[in-house]
Amino acid sequence: MKFSTRTTYGLRALIKLSEKFGKNNVSLASISRDEHISLKYLEQIFSSLKKANLVKSEKGATGGYSLVKKPEEITIFEIIEILEKDMNLFRCIDQHGKVNCNFKCNCGATKVLINVQRAINDTLKGMSLKDLI
Amino acid sequence: MKFSTRTTYGLRALIKLSEKFGKNNVSLASISRDEHISLKYLEQIFSSLKKANLVKSEKGATGGYSLVKKPEEITIFEIIEILEKDMNLFRCIDQHGKVNCNFKCNCGATKVLINVQRAINDTLKGMSLKDLI
DNA sequence: AAAATACCTACTGTTTTAGTTGGTATTTAA
DNA sequence: TTAAATACCAACTAAAACAGTAGGTATTTT
């Protein structure tokens, strides 16, 4: 189990935006330089973040991205949910935490798996972007 | 982010063993039937679990697998650590929770990532196989 | 002797990942 | 008004990981 580079890079980039919250825009070019991340890849990541209404953008020479909400209002869970393509930790549990087993097995395992998923989610919901500055 | 089928199947199978702890061996054939998991795949999974000394086995007609420790002494973290091939959630953090960034960047991000990793690990360490029966 | 089990090694199709490539559109500053 | 800097968009691709399959051998009980 590993977070994708999308998620990792996204988190790192959002930390940059948090530091400049209420001040400047942050350009992807500057993040690319500072964090050694491919500019084109960052563009894709920020496309997702913008669609999810987590960041807003301005074009042009002084353009760039900024957070839509305060850092303390953005949870790590929220970010991961946007960037990670599949946040269902187990096959037999769907996005809403309900059992969705192919074989309609009546094993007790799904209960545990649901608890594991919930525990991790709660942990991530308890952490915000502010918890780092 | 998703747990591999190895981990998911392994957890489900270990639940079976927990139920029979102190009583019978559990054969992989019976798990395969009950849980609709490929027998050959289960064999691979249990090979890892045995190497890690989490289960022991007996051959022959009444053979099968059983837990080496009590269910309450086996944490979910322990199981996942064995079955999941890579438990480093982020690239820039190694197994021991230390920063290992290719570019030796001095960004503050790694601190957060370490906290995320630790929070999830602690959650999983707090759950045992017993928490389901 | 047969059946049931564990145990071992190698192979493989599919999917996902981690980007790359090649552009267009908009805004600012010289 | 032109150049530079930015965001924005869509398609492609090599490599790695995943999720098994295949074909056996070894041991123990009935």
Side-chain angles (χ1 to χ4, degrees), chain B residues 17 36 94:
Chain B
L17 268 63
H36 305 91
D94 71 12

Side-chain angles (χ1 to χ4, degrees), chain B residues 35-81:
Chain B
E35 302 276 336
H36 305 91
I37 302 169
S38 148
L39 174 60
K40 288 294 194 180
Y41 200 23
L42 275 174
E43 289 178 350
Q44 288 180 26
I45 293 166
F46 272 78
S47 167
S48 298
L49 292 172
K50 194 183 174 186
K51 267 183 203 153
N53 204 34
L54 209 68
V55 299
K56 61 180 187 294
S57 64
E58 286 176 26
K59 288 188 177 180
T62 58
Y65 286 93
S66 58
L67 296 180
V68 163
K69 293 188 283 185
K70 293 179 198 164
E72 57 263 42
E73 289 172 346
I74 300 176
T75 68
I76 305 298
F77 178 81
E78 201 175 342
I79 298 165
I80 290 172
E81 205 176 26

Side-chain angles (χ1 to χ4, degrees), chain B:
Chain B
M1 186 177 70
K2 194 188 255 317
F3 284 111
S4 64
T5 52
R6 267 175 70 86
T7 298
T8 309
Y9 296 164
L11 277 170
R12 297 169 78 111
L14 287 171
I15 287 165
K16 291 274 174 193
L17 268 63
S18 298
E19 288 164 359
K20 298 287 183 185
F21 180 70
K23 303 175 199 166
N24 318 95
N25 285 327
V26 180
S27 74
L28 297 189
S30 73
I31 297 174
S32 174
R33 270 194 307 275
D34 295 353
E35 302 276 336
H36 305 91
I37 302 169
S38 148
L39 174 60
K40 288 294 194 180
Y41 200 23
L42 275 174
E43 289 178 350
Q44 288 180 26
I45 293 166
F46 272 78
S47 167
S48 298
L49 292 172
K50 194 183 174 186
K51 267 183 203 153
N53 204 34
L54 209 68
V55 299
K56 61 180 187 294
S57 64
E58 286 176 26
K59 288 188 177 180
T62 58
Y65 286 93
S66 58
L67 296 180
V68 163
K69 293 188 283 185
K70 293 179 198 164
E72 57 263 42
E73 289 172 346
I74 300 176
T75 68
I76 305 298
F77 178 81
E78 201 175 342
I79 298 165
I80 290 172
E81 205 176 26
I82 294 165
L83 295 178
E84 204 66 20
K85 277 169 192 167
D86 191 350
M87 260 297 281
N88 304 329
L89 264 37
F90 302 100
R91 297 261 157 146
C92 45
I93 301 172
D94 71 12
Q95 296 148 323
H96 313 293
K98 295 199 172 171
V99 174
N100 180 25
C101 180
N102 283 344
F103 298 103
K104 305 196 191 316
C105 61
N106 44 5
C107 64
T110 43
K111 289 177 209 158
V112 202
L113 303 187
I114 284 173
N115 287 337
V116 173
Q117 170 110 43
R118 188 155 11 198
I120 289 177
N121 286 356
D122 288 349
T123 298
L124 297 174
K125 282 175 187 167
M127 305 180 78
S128 81
L129 271 182
K130 202 194 177 188
D131 296 335
L132 63 102
I133 316 179

